[in-house]
Amino acid sequence: MTDALKPSNLELLKRFNRSFPEFYEQFVSSDAQFQNLQLAYQLYRSKEPLIEVNTDGSRSTFQFAYRNQSFLLSDIFGILTAYGLTIHNLSLYGQTQAPMLVFIKLSISRNNQSLSPKTADNLCRAIREAIAGRFEVEEMLAVEFNFDQGLDQVSTEFYIDPVFHLPTLIIEAEEQVGLLYRVMYAIWQEDLLVINANLVSWRGRTRLILYLFGPNESAIPDYLGQRIAVSVRDRLLRPQH
């Protein structure tokens, strides 16, 4: 893809990529890099969250782009939980420099099928309403789900990634309804900003690897990261409300 770009567009892409972590340009496909650049331009023009859901065989592809904020993932995954959606794959890339945009791509399904056009429209509308602050996601979830009990067998680990040089939090727990929402809710309560995420599920367990910034988009020293890991685990082990 990059070989086919005009020199002016290639230079623009390189400048754009410098606002991401060091690994972004090396490990993210050129197609994804260019698509994120296009989404950033659309955001610049619209000043509104970009949310799309498209059918991809028996699954749907959910794409989101907007300015990164600590509550975003809690709201997004909360609404996905409320709609009874399964997340099969997660891709998230956040900028580490202004304007601190985040680009999210998910493979999702409902009852092993792609979303109907009506469900997709309702999903996008609900996320826009939540971001605009017109309703509380927690209240919507309380109607259908009981989060009065904490999770079981949660483990957390913090370290500074030696390759990417970023604060990293690993969270592992048994798969259950609302797990990713509850993780992201805990991350929000710690006022952390996710700038990259990897999701692995196997044998009934889920592992999330999160690259993070601390409050006010700051770096997280190791001693504070260890405290955060314990606090996140404690939040997940006890009732949410």
Side-chain angles (χ1 to χ4, degrees):
M1 169 66 77
T2 54
D3 293 337
L5 293 178
K6 297 179 181 179
S8 59
N9 289 336
L10 183 58
E11 179 59 30
L12 181 62
L13 180 63
K14 289 181 177 180
R15 292 204 307 270
F16 176 70
N17 287 349
R18 285 197 287 269
S19 64
F20 290 86
E22 293 180 9
F23 67 84
Y24 178 81
E25 190 166 27
Q26 180 179 358
F27 292 101
V28 179
S29 71
S30 56
D31 286 345
Q33 293 175 26
F34 187 63
Q35 183 179 59
N36 289 342
L37 175 61
Q38 291 177 312
L39 292 173
Y41 180 66
Q42 293 179 45
L43 275 174
Y44 172 76
R45 296 186 63 184
S46 69
K47 304 294 190 296
E48 297 288 338
L50 298 180
I51 309 169
E52 292 183 0
V53 177
N54 298 300
T55 301
D56 184 12
S58 61
R59 298 179 181 177
S60 294
T61 299
F62 169 88
Q63 286 190 283
F64 176 91
Y66 196 49
R67 185 170 62 84
N68 205 352
Q69 300 171 76
S70 60
F71 70 85
L72 271 182
L73 296 183
S74 177
D75 280 355
I76 289 173
F77 284 97
I79 291 171
L80 293 174
T81 298
Y83 276 83
L85 304 182
T86 300
I87 300 169
H88 303 280
N89 194 20
L90 164 64
S91 170
L92 184 152
Y93 301 108
Q95 294 178 325
T96 56
Q97 300 177 25
M100 298 296 292
L101 303 179
V102 63
F103 303 87
I104 303 169
K105 187 174 183 179
L106 306 173
S107 175
I108 58 178
S109 68
R110 192 179 200 182
N111 299 323
N112 294 317
Q113 296 181 345
S114 61
L115 276 60
S116 68
K118 182 178 180 180
T119 299
D121 288 344
N122 289 340
L123 175 67
C124 294
R125 186 178 302 111
I127 292 175
R128 290 185 188 280
E129 292 289 305
I131 293 173
R134 286 189 275 267
F135 71 86
E136 294 292 333
V137 174
E138 291 78 18
E139 293 179 2
M140 179 177 66
L141 286 169
V143 176
E144 296 290 338
F145 300 94
N146 180 9
F147 290 144
D148 287 342
Q149 292 185 338
L151 303 177
D152 295 324
Q153 298 180 352
V154 177
S155 64
T156 59
E157 178 186 358
F158 178 88
Y159 62 93
I160 305 297
D161 190 284
V163 177
F164 301 149
H165 310 292
L166 289 170
T168 308
L169 181 64
I170 297 179
I171 303 171
E172 187 173 323
E174 293 184 357
E175 291 181 7
Q176 56 186 284
V177 174
L179 173 60
L180 294 184
Y181 159 66
R182 296 178 74 158
V183 168
M184 297 310 177
Y185 186 87
I187 293 295
W188 172 35
Q189 296 303 298
E190 296 291 329
D191 197 19
L192 302 173
L193 197 67
V194 179
I195 55 177
N196 186 244
N198 293 308
L199 171 67
V200 180
S201 296
W202 84 106
R203 295 183 179 180
R205 292 189 66 81
T206 293
R207 170 179 285 188
L208 266 174
I209 305 174
L210 305 176
Y211 296 90
L212 305 163
F213 271 178
N216 301 316
E217 301 166 7
S218 61
I220 303 173
D222 185 72
Y223 77 90
L224 180 57
Q226 301 302 330
R227 295 179 187 175
I228 289 173
V230 172
S231 181
V232 168
R233 184 191 63 201
D234 290 346
R235 289 182 186 277
L236 293 173
L237 288 172
R238 67 173 182 256
Q240 177 173 308
H241 302 296

